Structure formats: structure tokens, C-alpha cells
Amino acid sequence: MRSVRARAALGATAVVAVALIAAGLAVLLVLGAKLTDQTDLQAEVTAQGVASQLALGVPYDSLDLPDTEDRPVQVLNENGELVLASDKLEAISGTGSARVRPDRRPGEQPPGEDGDDPGERADAGHGEVSRDEPRFTTGTATVDGDTADYRFAAVEATTGSGATVTVYAGVPLTDEKDAVGTVRSAMLVGLPALLVVVGGVTWLVTRRALLPVEGIRRQMATITASEDLSRRVPVPGTRDEVDRLAVTTNETLAALETSVERQRRFVADASHELRSPIASLRTQLEVAFAHPELLDLEGAVQDTVRLQDLAADLLLLARLDAGEKPGTARVDLSALVRSEAGRREAAGRATVVAEAADAVHVTGSRGQLTRLLGNLLDNAQRHAESSVTVALRTEAGRAVLEVADDGAGVPQAQRERIFERFVRLDDARSRDDGGAGLGLAIARDVAHRHGGTLTAGRAAGGGAVFTLVLPVA
């Protein structure tokens, strides 16, 4: 039962079995009811025929009775006394009287009737057959030594002499029982065979449908064992759920491969970036230890600061990769622009001109947004000839921040690559001026975490412009 095929086959067989059993019972019930209706109709016709003869004044001894073996007849008067019965009828039940022979001698007047002889009664007039619906009962009758179940129809009639009698005519239920038994036997034989066919077909169809799943499982097990994320699972091409599962699995493997490769490059680049300032600082300390008079204290402080900044950037990237939420604080982006622009103007670098609209609020982390804006301003001042322009406005319910410089700009082919981690263009490869190549990568990650975008383009004055778009709070 651990197999999906086994559970599917068993479930399908159980469902079909329940459905077939219910349908079989319904068929047997309907068939029995239909055959019973036909038997009732035959018994009613027979009883109506005998009752019509009595209503026409036909004497009892002259009645034209049907075949005794198939249609036993019993006539009772209004007191429930037997008046007439079929010749070969030996026993009867279910009609209200178990007697099969009238209590009178041949030629004697039936009980409850007046007159001299049958001929006089026949001339007395005509009676009638009751228009009421006939009554139907089930009983047994023994005819010529054979006992069987019968269906009886009871029809009331008034004879020509005015006496009220009830005519019981029976029809055997043998044909009904034989037909129902034959159908039941056929169902008992065919149902197990049909269930075996349903179970087998379900097993085969499920097995064929799950073959691609087993192929996917084996390939995933191989990938896990080999740790080779470049491999992909087979796609069956059936355009069904299994096909979509394989496609999604391959997409997941591709994303995982990209993530792992990115992590490997990140570790390698981080190790490389950390090694240089650490080696430089160690060299200066070793020289200072051997020759204190040669200590370059300013260079050691710069290397330490650079090392500290790099560690802070790596820590922030690690938090962003771990899915750190930006928060739901309300941040005044206008005030943030004026504050950061003022700080960098005081630092004596390229002139920073801020054109910020009043009270533009966004939702997120003030610290991360400060780092984003700071990285953009640092990058712009590093590449500007003389000035940096910061413009903030709102468009269609979104805050648009543009940081432009009057430098050489970013080549169009490099405008996406500069947002990759540890990427520095040729004019930014100086470790002292160009940084570690993490500023723009951090800025874009922060923008994405806040539901926004960050793109690079060409400024109106020929330099570079970075456009940040965030949803307004």
C-alpha cells in the first residue's frame, strides 16, 4: 500500500464495486417490480374475465375457467365462504380462505343465493363487475401436486341473482423469480471479473502515468548524490501535470544552481577583497614592529576603515540574502535626501544639489534607505566632474528619486552589470577610490526589498543617472 499505483488501483476498484453493487441492486429491484406489475396485470385480466361471466349470469357449473396450472381461480361469497374453485387446486393461501372445495353437493344451490335451479338464476337478469381497483396479494397454491408462489388479484362482482362474490385469480411468480435469479447470477459472475479488469487497467494506466515521475525521482537522487546542479530531470513532453512538474523542477534546479554559483563567487570575491587590506595592514604592522620610525599610521587607519566598511557591506548583504524584512516604518524621503546631500556637501567633494519635493513618505527601513541613498551619492561623487544633482518627485502614486552626475557616464552595455556584486568598471578599479564593487549591488537589493526598482541611464548633461522608484506610503 506504499505504492501510489496500488492505492489508485484499490481505490478505483472499491469505487467501481460500490457503484456496480448499487446499480445491480437497483436493476434487480426495478426488474422485480416490472415483472410483478406484469404478473398483477395477468392476474387482473383473468379475474376480470371470470367476474364478467358471473355478472352476465353464467352458472357456476358452466363458467369457462382458465388453465388450472397457470391460472388457479377461487370464488368467495360476501360471507367469505367458498363458492367455486379450480378443479386441480389442492391448497391455497393468501386469499382469505384456504378451502379448495365448496361445501355443497353437485347441483345444489350455492350458499347465499335464492332460486330453484341454475337455469332460473340465469334468466333472473344481469349483474355487474365492481369498478373499484382490484386488490393484489401474494400467497401460495398447490396445483396438481406442485406448490409455488402466486400473485392473486381480487375482483368483486354482482351475479345475475344479486349476490356479491369475490373472484381470486392467481398467476405464478416462477417466471419473475427465474428472471431475477438469472440476472442476479449473471451479476455475481460478471462483477468480480469486471472488478479485476478495472483494477488491472487502473494499475497499468497509473504505472504508465507515473513512469516519468519515477524518472524524475531517480534523476533527483543522482543530482543529490553527485551535487552536480547543472544536470536536469527528463521532461516527458506530455503537457500534463507530470510534464509541468518536470519543467518546474528544472526551473528550481536552475535557480538553485544560479544561487549556489552566486554564493561561490561571493565567497571567492569576498575572500579576495578581504585579503588585500588585511595583507596591507599586516605588512605595515610588521614594518612598524621592526622599524617603529617607519610606521605609516594614516595608511593603517585607512586600511582598517576600508576593512570595517567591507565587513559591514558583507554583513548587510548576508542579511538581505537571508530575507530580512525592511519593516513598516514611515520614512520621510524628502528629509532623508536633504540630510544625506548636506552631509556629502560638507565633506568637500563634488557639489551636491538637492531638489526634493515636500513630504514624500515611503514605507520601509530608514537605515536601509539611508544606506541606499548614501551609496548612490558616493558613487555619483566618485565619478562626477564637478556636481551631483538629486531630484525627488512623485508620479502616479510612486516616489521617483534621480541621482545624476556630470561625469563620463556608464556605457549602455554595462548598465546592468554594474549592479552585480564585486563588479568595478575600468575607471573604478582603484581600491582606494573605487571601493569593493558592492555599493550599487546593495542599493538595488534594498530597492527590491522595498518593492521598488533601481536602474541606470544617461543624464541630460551626459553623465550617469540612477533612477529609484518606490511606492508612496
Side-chain angles (χ1 to χ4, degrees):
M1 292 305 296
R2 294 183 179 181
S3 170
V4 176
R5 289 174 294 175
R7 291 197 296 269
L10 182 60
T13 304
V15 171
V16 173
V18 172
L20 289 178
I21 291 175
L25 292 176
V27 169
L28 291 177
L29 291 175
V30 172
L31 178 61
K34 292 294 183 182
L35 293 176
T36 300
D37 290 343
Q38 292 181 3
T39 303
D40 290 346
L41 179 60
Q42 295 174 9
E44 180 184 356
V45 170
T46 302
Q48 290 281 2
V50 176
S52 298
Q53 296 181 57
L54 292 173
L56 293 174
V58 177
Y60 294 105
D61 296 339
S62 301
L63 290 176
D64 183 15
L65 299 180
D67 186 3
T68 305
E69 294 183 0
D70 294 334
R71 304 285 192 274
V73 175
Q74 186 186 49
V75 182
L76 305 178
N77 64 11
E78 57 187 1
N79 296 324
E81 299 173 342
L82 179 66
V83 176
L84 179 68
S86 299
D87 292 338
K88 295 182 180 181
L89 182 62
E90 301 175 0
I92 192 171
S93 66
T95 61
S97 176
R99 300 186 65 180
V100 295
R101 293 291 176 266
D103 189 14
R104 63 185 178 88
R105 293 184 297 274
E108 183 179 352
Q109 176 182 337
E113 296 192 14
D114 297 326
D116 296 331
D117 55 49
E120 292 181 359
R121 293 193 302 274
D123 296 337
H126 297 287
E128 62 178 354
V129 179
S130 175
R131 296 182 179 181
D132 296 337
E133 290 292 330
R135 303 188 309 273
F136 296 98
T137 59
T138 302
T140 61
T142 303
V143 180
D144 198 17
D146 296 329
T147 302
D149 293 331
Y150 280 77
R151 187 73 172 170
F152 296 101
V155 177
E156 293 184 356
T158 303
T159 64
S161 60
T164 300
V165 295
T166 302
V167 179
Y168 287 91
V171 175
L173 294 174
T174 306
D175 294 340
E176 176 192 356
K177 291 185 176 181
D178 290 344
V180 173
T182 301
V183 174
R184 182 170 55 246
S185 300
M187 288 183 177
L188 292 177
V189 173
L191 180 60
L194 183 59
L195 293 180
V196 170
V197 172
V198 170
V201 171
T202 304
W203 175 277
L204 294 176
V205 171
T206 308
R207 178 177 179 272
R208 181 177 179 84
L210 292 178
L211 281 178
V213 177
E214 179 62 21
I216 294 174
R217 187 202 64 79
R218 288 196 300 266
Q219 185 67 8
M220 288 296 294
T222 303
I223 293 173
T224 302
S226 64
E227 298 183 357
D228 183 8
L229 296 178
S230 63
R231 304 179 67 170
R232 297 293 180 265
V233 300
V235 179
T238 53
R239 297 184 179 180
D240 55 8
E241 292 82 353
V242 178
D243 182 85
R244 292 193 292 272
L245 172 64
V247 172
T248 303
T249 302
N250 285 336
E251 292 174 352
T252 302
L253 288 173
L256 183 60
E257 180 186 16
T258 301
S259 177
V260 170
E261 184 61 28
R262 180 181 180 184
Q263 191 69 20
R264 289 174 179 172
R265 290 199 308 267
F266 177 79
V267 173
D269 292 338
S271 301
H272 178 74
E273 293 294 335
L274 288 172
R275 183 173 56 187
S276 297
I278 292 176
S280 175
L281 184 60
R282 177 180 178 180
T283 300
Q284 295 182 56
L285 292 176
E286 289 177 348
V287 170
F289 181 77
H291 305 280
E293 69 280 2
L294 299 179
L295 174 62
D296 183 6
L297 187 59
E298 181 178 359
V301 171
Q302 291 178 353
D303 286 339
T304 303
V305 170
R306 182 168 175 269
L307 187 61
Q308 182 181 8
D309 293 340
L310 181 58
D313 288 343
L314 294 176
L315 180 60
L316 177 58
L317 284 173
R319 292 204 308 268
L320 293 176
D321 289 341
E324 182 181 58
K325 301 298 182 181
T328 58
R330 187 180 179 88
V331 180
D332 186 352
L333 201 58
S334 302
L336 195 63
V337 168
R338 288 190 288 268
S339 174
E340 290 299 309
R343 279 200 317 113
R344 279 158 181 76
E345 180 70 20
R349 302 183 185 177
T351 303
V352 178
V353 179
E355 301 174 358
D358 294 334
V360 178
H361 292 90
V362 296
T363 301
S365 168
R366 182 179 182 84
Q368 292 184 12
L369 292 174
T370 301
R371 174 65 70 88
L372 186 158
L373 182 56
N375 288 354
L376 292 180
L377 290 175
D378 289 342
N379 180 78
Q381 284 188 313
R382 185 179 301 118
H383 297 90
E385 293 290 339
S386 59
S387 65
V388 174
T389 302
V390 183
L392 175 63
R393 64 183 184 277
T394 57
E395 291 182 0
R398 302 183 74 84
V400 180
L401 175 68
E402 293 182 345
V403 179
D405 62 70
D406 59 353
V410 181
Q412 185 173 0
Q414 304 291 337
R415 288 176 185 173
E416 281 299 315
R417 183 169 173 267
I418 58 175
F419 291 105
E420 296 179 8
R421 299 176 182 181
F422 298 103
V423 171
R424 293 189 299 268
L425 301 184
D426 292 339
D427 60 350
R429 288 193 177 275
S430 170
R431 298 193 180 276
D432 296 331
D433 297 331
L438 294 176
L440 294 179
I442 292 175
R444 172 167 277 190
D445 282 350
V446 171
H448 287 172
R449 292 295 189 278
H450 285 74
T453 60
L454 178 62
T455 57
R458 181 176 180 83
V465 59
F466 290 85
T467 303
L468 171 68
V469 179
L470 295 174
V472 173

